Amino acid sequence: MIDAGIQAVRDAETDSKVMLHFAGYRELESFLAECDTLDYDMLGLSYYPIWHGKSLDSLRTAIGSISAYGKIGVIAEFAYPFTFDWADWTNNIIGSEDQILPAYAAEPSGQAKYVRDLVKLIKDAQGSGLCYWGGEMIAFDGPESTEGSSFENQALFDFQFKALPELKSVDLAALQSHMEVVDHS
């Protein structure tokens, strides 16, 4: 089925890049070996410390190991809290210190530092990109909503819907120039 999907992409648009997605980095080597015969270009990893482990060194190693298979490594999905507070009555996914990395406080500057450090990690590991998950998933329908956002404290906007100013410190121009897909063969 995956082969058929890849072939459909190749048939429809020969210049398209095909990316497979893997959650975390545990068992990555087995997954890479299983997919060795597939014709894909990139492998995107999800990385959330609460589910995938709290070792950025292991994440860096995992991204680096993807290139050993001739593929481009990407952090395809990540997010980090800027607070443990909430703006609605929907339970947030992240709400305590034991769910995050000790080096990055759940505050705007901790979130910004985490993003900057992942940018550096992906560059150092010869990867080619990262995608923030749920940056827009702010609370809605008022503070008493029970159908709000469980991701609101990991969004890139505060509870007043303002972009977090600390994220402006990320060098987006440098990030953009590095994230262009390059031929690693």
Side-chain angles (χ1 to χ4, degrees):
M1 185 168 71
I2 294 173
D3 267 330
I6 291 170
Q7 190 57 53
V9 170
R10 301 279 188 224
D11 291 346
E13 183 60 53
T14 58
D15 292 338
S16 289
K17 300 291 183 191
V18 174
M19 182 184 342
L20 301 182
H21 187 182
F22 187 77
Y25 50 75
R26 294 183 184 124
E27 307 299 325
L28 177 62
E29 288 295 329
S30 297
F31 181 78
L32 286 165
E34 278 184 50
C35 296
D36 197 38
T37 60
L38 297 175
D39 177 28
Y40 68 101
D41 306 294
M42 307 170 84
L43 181 67
L45 299 179
S46 294
Y47 179 66
Y48 298 94
I50 185 176
W51 297 307
H52 302 128
K54 295 185 179 179
S55 173
L56 291 182
D57 288 336
S58 294
L59 177 62
R60 181 180 293 106
T61 299
I63 295 289
S65 70
I66 293 168
S67 64
Y69 284 82
K71 308 302 178 188
I72 299 168
V74 175
I75 299 174
E77 184 181 323
F78 79 101
Y80 205 79
F82 67 90
T83 184
F84 289 134
D85 292 336
W86 57 90
D88 59 27
W89 288 358
T90 303
N91 290 330
N92 290 337
I93 294 169
I94 302 294
S96 65
E97 294 285 336
D98 64 325
Q99 297 173 316
I100 63 171
L101 298 169
Y104 307 95
E107 56 190 41
S109 61
Q111 183 190 56
K113 182 177 181 338
Y114 183 73
V115 172
R116 284 193 307 273
D117 286 356
L118 284 187
V119 168
K120 183 177 180 339
L121 180 148
I122 199 79
K123 287 179 181 181
D124 292 349
Q126 307 295 307
S128 287
L130 65 160
C131 299
Y132 199 94
W133 178 262
E136 80 294 352
M137 295 177 76
I138 56 178
F140 60 93
D141 287 342
E144 294 183 12
S145 174
T146 57
E147 296 179 10
S149 172
S150 61
F151 230 73
E152 66 185 355
N153 67 333
Q154 296 183 74
L156 297 175
F157 301 89
D158 65 19
F159 296 152
Q160 289 73 45
F161 315 116
K162 305 281 188 227
L164 293 166
E166 286 80 358
L167 291 179
K168 293 178 183 174
S169 66
V170 174
D171 185 351
L172 294 178
L175 176 61
Q176 182 179 16
S177 69
H178 177 73
M179 297 309 154
E180 294 177 42
V181 175
V182 293
D183 183 3
H184 288 283
S185 55

